[in-house]
Amino acid sequence: MRPILKICLVMLLAACNSPSMHFEGISPHKIMVLGTEFELRRNDELVQVIRTSREYAPRLSQQLGRRAEIAVEQNYGCPVDRIRGDASMMLAYLKCGEPDDLARIGNGA
């Protein structure tokens, strides 16, 4: 019984940074922002962000979300509309191709 339990635990730990089904088959872009390492996978206007660096008790609200946003914007060149998730895996929604409100006001629209 113990060897089977050990094998199951090893398999669970090996899948920690594997992509979800929506992002399978997409090769990751690895990027580091302010000491935090991320793997990014893009599918249309969605980007899966997986934090691969070790940090003690990171919280999404303590600048980790902003670091993920910077990583996505640097890598894909589009602004991030919103970001959802937790400290280890996030989904970033891109706002590509749509001028934002400030650009419309500046153009007189």
Side-chain angles (χ1 to χ4, degrees):
M1 174 89 170
R2 284 191 182 260
I4 293 173
L5 180 63
K6 287 180 183 179
I7 290 172
C8 289
L9 288 174
V10 168
M11 289 176 66
L12 283 172
L13 289 175
C16 283
N17 68 340
S18 60
S20 61
M21 288 175 44
H22 189 69
F23 297 93
E24 269 186 52
I26 300 172
S27 59
H29 295 272
K30 295 182 181 189
I31 189 167
M32 183 173 284
V33 175
L34 299 171
T36 304
E37 193 174 309
F38 298 103
E39 282 187 0
L40 309 174
R41 290 177 176 86
R42 181 178 178 179
N43 191 354
D44 296 327
E45 299 301 312
L46 279 178
V47 178
Q48 183 181 44
V49 182
I50 299 175
R51 182 182 52 86
T52 57
S53 59
R54 295 182 184 183
E55 295 178 36
Y56 177 73
R59 298 187 193 276
L60 197 58
S61 63
Q62 293 177 340
Q63 300 300 321
L64 186 61
R66 180 65 184 133
R67 285 185 218 149
E69 186 177 341
I70 290 169
V72 170
E73 289 175 351
Q74 281 181 354
N75 200 48
Y76 296 111
C78 295
V80 173
D81 186 31
R82 64 187 183 274
I83 211 163
R84 303 275 189 252
D86 59 21
S88 60
M89 189 175 83
M90 296 156 261
L91 275 179
Y93 297 83
L94 296 179
K95 196 167 129 179
C96 293
E98 297 176 16
D100 56 5
D101 294 334
L102 292 176
R104 276 188 238 127
I105 291 169
N107 292 332

